[in-house]
């Protein structure tokens, strides 16, 4: 299981490289990587286990964040609507070779800004991202999946895909006016 000591930190060149495509069928090492990244997210979202292992909670973890320069990321966005009829996650999958095939003109941003397991310091500011995306990726079985995401799950997937292109969330923050977002940006709590 990955621990915080296994997470690649800002400054490591792997975080700024464009990751390589993943070949199918997955090798045993790639299958293990997918499993271990998702396991980190599951454990980190369990309050007791998170504390026990000294983890930082996460909703996404990309392969470059564990020092593997491959186009693979685990995403686990829990259900955040208290009125939802189910605890089923808003989005849960390992996305491999992901491509955003379409995106909304409208932006969305998290009111509290974004954080990252690889960035130890707080970087205040809005991170404008597309509010809606259509994402195409392969799952661990090699099936091609096409899914439309909106709001928080769309933001999380864009953050993880950025990792596969050597981009960190704070690259999107307006340096002069960090709390200024494009006109009509939907603010997400």
């Amino acid at each position: 299981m990955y621990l915080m000591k296994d997470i690649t930190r800002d400054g490591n060149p792997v975080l700024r490289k464009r990751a390589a495509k993943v070949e199918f069928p997955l090798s045993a090492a790639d299958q293990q990587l997918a499993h271990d990244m998702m396991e980190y997210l599951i454990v980190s979202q369990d309050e007791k286990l998170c504390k026990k292992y000294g983890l930082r909670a996460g909703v996404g973890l990309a392969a470059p964040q564990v020092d593997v320069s491959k186009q693979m990321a685990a995403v686990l966005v829990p259900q955040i609507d208290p009125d939802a009829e189910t605890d089923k996650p808003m989005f849960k999958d390992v996305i491999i070779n992901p491509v955003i095939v379409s995106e909304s003109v409208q932006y969305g941003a998290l009111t509290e800004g974004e954080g990252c397991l690889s960035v130890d310091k707080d970087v205040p500011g809005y991170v404008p991202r597309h509010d809606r995306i259509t994402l195409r990726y392969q799952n661990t079985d090699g099936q091609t999946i096409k899914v439309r995401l909106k709001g928080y799950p769309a933001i999380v997937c864009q953050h993880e895909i950025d990792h596969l292109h050597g981009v960190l969330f704070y690259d999107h923050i307006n340096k002069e006016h960090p709390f200024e977002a494009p006109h009509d940006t939907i603010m997400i709590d």
Side-chain angles (χ1 to χ4, degrees), residues 39-106:
E39 180 185 44
Y40 178 93
L41 299 179
I42 292 167
V43 171
S44 79
Q45 289 181 23
D46 179 306
E47 220 174 294
K48 285 183 181 149
L49 292 176
C50 187
K51 191 173 182 178
K52 176 181 176 180
Y53 294 110
L55 305 179
R56 282 173 50 200
V59 291
L61 185 61
Q65 292 183 272
V66 290
D67 208 21
V68 179
S69 190
K70 289 190 175 182
Q71 291 185 28
M72 184 188 300
V75 179
L76 175 53
V77 181
Q79 182 55 253
I80 54 176
D81 179 0
D83 299 327
E85 295 177 15
T86 177
D87 281 348
K88 184 176 177 232
M90 294 172 76
F91 184 81
K92 178 184 180 183
D93 211 347
V94 174
I95 60 175
I96 303 172
N97 302 325
V99 176
I100 296 172
V101 292
S102 68
E103 55 202 21
S104 64
V105 173
Q106 183 149 44

Side-chain angles (χ1 to χ4, degrees), residues 11-29:
N12 185 316
V14 73
L15 292 174
R16 292 301 189 171
K17 275 175 58 177
R18 189 168 197 80
K21 282 193 83 136
V22 176
E23 300 294 320
F24 282 89
L26 292 183
S27 66

